[in-house]
Amino acid sequence: MSDDTSPDVLLEVKGLKTHFFTRDGVVHAVDGVDFEVRQGEVLGLVGESGSGKSVTSMSLLGLVGAPGKVVDGEIRFKGEDLRAKSKREMRAIRGNQISMIFQQPNASLNPVFTTGMQISEVFEIHDGLKRKLGLEQAVEALRRVGIPEPALRAKAYPHQMSGGMAQRVMIAMALASGPELLIADEPTTALDVTIQAQIIELIGDLQQELGMSVILITHDLGVVAETADRVAVMYAGQIVEQAPTTELFDAPLHPYTIGLLGSIPVAGARRERLEVIPGHVPNLIDPPVGCRFADRCQARIDHGLTICTERNPELVEVAPGHSVRCWLHPGANSDD
């Protein structure tokens, strides 16, 4: 990786590979991922289930456990290589400079401690506060995320919280030490539509207030359209397209991105049926040598391309800020 990184780049990921070593073989869950997150921006990381989004986020924080392992690539945060950090150094970074909101809040919160105690622990570990002052700060953190009667809620246990309330607690905990980067992994999973909208709005408001950067991981393109500055689309362990949000929605280039956008219902538009992407995601134990979307790609068939199944294209910039991994577009070349 070059040293001429733009000064406004907070996180830079290059050639990230995370594999899982199973009895059936090596699963190439994340296989050569490149992206960056700039100061104060929201990057949407989208793709269907199993595309590698969550494994990517866990890799960034050094949270991939056995049988998984980050086997290659660079992860630079403020210019420092996180892969070179010790476990102790990473613990100091997690929850302090980089925080994460997980998919299932009730599963992430400890059921035997009150919410106030769990938030207070963040202040005690990272800011060195005494327990009493930490609990006072926990109440303020709950107030910041819009929880009514925060002093009372600080004494409640996770099972006494609704799903939306528990997610607000997780957000309060994630933001307790004022991180520079927040990773939100499917933050609205299992919540009803009204609560989903409230949580996304809350994250957006806090992002603006605190000036932090956000990686928003989701399969919901509607959420991305409303909140993200840029979008990276993942498929089968690789990023297949990156672009500013408006450009991606107005002029998508990769056939997979086009298929995803075509499957979204449009208000006021009448369709006899929603578009679907035929076929299945390839087996990542034995990924294809060519483009990983080739077997499902109607554009490949229409153009009669054989190279798609023979060589894997690189992710290349085809317009300012707009990159695509596809042989249909000028500049694509083999990564072999």
Side-chain angles (χ1 to χ4, degrees):
M1 184 176 296
S2 64
D3 295 329
D4 57 350
T5 303
S6 172
D8 69 340
V9 173
L10 181 67
L11 175 74
E12 188 174 17
V13 179
K14 183 70 173 177
L16 179 64
K17 294 185 179 183
T18 302
H19 295 170
F20 287 80
F21 299 86
T22 72
R23 291 181 180 179
D24 295 327
V26 179
V27 180
H28 300 72
V30 176
D31 207 22
V33 164
D34 304 321
F35 68 89
E36 63 183 30
V37 182
R38 299 164 190 160
Q39 297 276 359
E41 80 164 349
V42 179
L43 174 71
L45 187 59
V46 304
E48 59 195 299
S49 297
S51 61
K53 307 185 302 297
S54 293
V55 177
T56 296
S57 67
M58 300 291 275
S59 301
L60 300 180
L61 291 174
L63 293 176
V64 176
K69 182 180 180 181
V70 177
V71 298
D72 199 7
E74 294 184 54
I75 305 168
R76 292 194 175 273
F77 180 69
K78 298 195 296 186
E80 296 186 5
D81 186 2
L82 295 188
R83 290 195 63 203
K85 301 288 185 183
S86 67
K87 291 183 178 180
R88 181 177 180 180
E89 289 172 325
M90 282 304 300
R91 281 197 296 269
I93 291 172
R94 287 195 298 264
N96 187 17
Q97 298 180 61
I98 306 175
S99 286
M100 186 167 180
I101 305 170
F102 296 93
Q103 292 186 27
Q104 300 290 346
N106 284 318
S108 301
L109 294 169
N110 193 320
V112 300
F113 292 104
T114 65
T115 58
M117 288 284 286
Q118 294 184 62
I119 299 172
S120 172
E121 189 175 30
V122 178
F123 292 109
E124 293 170 36
I125 292 174
H126 294 295
D127 298 337
L129 300 186
K130 298 294 185 181
R131 175 61 54 85
K132 181 179 179 181
L133 186 54
L135 287 170
E136 292 175 1
Q137 291 297 314
V139 171
E140 183 56 36
L142 291 173
R143 180 179 289 110
R144 171 181 278 178
V145 298
I147 289 183
E149 299 180 292
L152 182 63
R153 294 295 182 179
K155 299 176 182 178
Y157 290 88
H159 74 272
Q160 297 172 308
M161 300 276 190
S162 66
M165 197 76 75
Q167 192 60 284
R168 287 176 183 266
V169 172
M170 287 297 299
I171 295 171
M173 190 180 303
L175 301 185
S177 285
E180 296 176 66
L181 174 63
L182 174 67
I183 302 173
D185 187 3
E186 299 279 8
T188 59
T189 297
L191 302 178
D192 66 52
V193 175
T194 302
I195 302 301
Q196 285 182 17
Q198 292 176 1
I199 294 298
I200 291 299
E201 183 179 7
L202 173 63
I203 292 174
D205 290 345
L206 291 171
Q207 185 266 333
Q208 292 290 327
E209 177 186 336
L210 301 174
M212 63 184 174
S213 303
V214 176
I215 299 176
L216 178 61
I217 300 170
T218 182
H219 62 274
D220 190 332
L221 287 167
V223 168
V224 167
E226 294 179 3
T227 59
D229 300 300
R230 291 189 301 118
V231 184
V233 181
M234 283 196 75
Y235 180 78
Q238 298 182 331
I239 289 178
V240 296
E241 187 165 5
Q242 288 188 66
T245 303
T246 301
E247 185 171 342
L248 186 95
F249 278 78
D250 289 347
L253 297 179
H254 197 281
Y256 177 64
T257 309
I258 294 170
L260 286 180
L261 295 174
S263 66
I264 302 175
V266 179
R270 184 175 180 179
R271 300 183 187 176
E272 292 188 7
R273 58 179 294 179
L274 290 176
E275 295 181 26
V276 297
I277 303 174
H280 304 281
V281 178
N283 184 348
L284 294 184
I285 290 179
D286 186 24
V289 295
C291 173
R292 296 192 174 177
F293 190 64
D295 285 347
R296 306 175 70 185
C297 183
Q298 186 60 44
R300 173 187 67 84
I301 297 172
D302 292 343
H303 287 81
L305 294 178
T306 59
I307 193 172
C308 299
T309 58
E310 298 170 351
R311 298 166 66 191
N312 191 17
E314 288 184 352
L315 182 70
V316 296
E317 190 173 57
V318 294
H322 196 154
S323 301
V324 64
R325 185 189 297 272
C326 181
W327 288 111
L328 291 171
H329 299 284
N333 50 79
S334 174
D335 62 0
D336 296 335

